[in-house]
Amino acid sequence: IIDQVEILEESVVPIELKTGKAPRQGVYEQHQLQLAAYILLLQEQYPTVSYGYVHYLSNKEKRKVLLNPFMKQEVLKLINLSQKLLSKQVLPLYCENKQKCQNCEIKKYCYDEKFVALKMDFLFSIRKL
């Protein structure tokens, strides 16, 4: 879900809000890829979208990310890997880095086997339609 979309005269600009500290320069790679995915998604309706911002709230800094061919290729590769994973219809191993989960609002569901199994069953039933 895109956090914010700034509406311009001829285009739109996605803005991803982050609560953590900003890197010394640029944006973290995972934030860059997330924003690149949003840009590609928005390009389906707004072909002129070519950049977005990661807004690091704790630093009060908005950093621009321009979509380039390498980012686009990486996002498409990740989409392909995700589709392959989903097509196997097998739950992936859980994340080993539990520290990333500390502030996540849905962490209680990740380790609930029944909940995850229900969601996977639902997902695969939709894909068969």
Side-chain angles (χ1 to χ4, degrees):
I1 298 173
I2 302 172
D3 291 331
Q4 289 182 348
V5 177
E6 191 174 297
I7 300 171
L8 306 176
E9 283 186 31
E10 295 184 21
S11 190
V12 295
V13 178
I15 301 170
E16 179 59 24
L17 305 175
K18 296 296 182 187
T19 56
K21 290 184 179 181
R24 290 178 196 234
Q25 54 187 162
V27 299
Y28 292 112
E29 182 181 359
Q30 63 270 28
H31 299 165
Q32 188 177 43
L33 288 172
Q34 183 179 7
L35 195 55
Y38 294 157
I39 293 167
L40 291 172
L41 180 66
L42 287 169
Q43 282 181 345
E44 293 177 13
Q45 288 288 317
Y46 305 94
T48 58
V49 178
S50 61
Y51 68 93
Y53 291 98
V54 176
H55 187 174
Y56 292 101
L57 299 171
S58 62
N59 296 59
K60 298 179 182 174
E61 290 186 38
K62 236 169 129 177
R63 298 190 179 176
K64 190 173 188 175
V65 173
L66 289 166
L67 181 68
N68 65 47
F70 302 107
M71 275 191 278
K72 181 177 180 177
Q73 182 180 7
E74 186 65 23
V75 170
L76 295 175
K77 182 175 120 184
L78 290 170
I79 290 169
N80 187 34
L81 287 171
S82 297
Q83 289 171 334
K84 284 180 182 177
L85 179 66
L86 288 171
S87 70
K88 290 180 182 179
Q89 299 188 13
V90 175
L91 286 174
L93 296 175
Y94 290 111
C95 179
E96 297 294 322
N97 185 354
K98 302 224 182 348
Q99 191 167 356
K100 282 188 168 188
C101 301
Q102 282 181 335
N103 296 321
C104 180
E105 59 193 49
I106 62 169
K107 68 181 175 189
K108 62 185 173 195
Y109 302 113
C110 293
Y111 300 96
D112 181 340
E113 294 284 340
K114 288 181 184 176
F115 176 82
V116 173
L118 277 171
K119 291 298 179 185
M120 293 296 282
D121 286 345
F122 175 73
L123 176 64
F124 296 125
S125 69
I126 289 175
R127 291 188 65 190
K128 291 177 185 175
L129 297 177

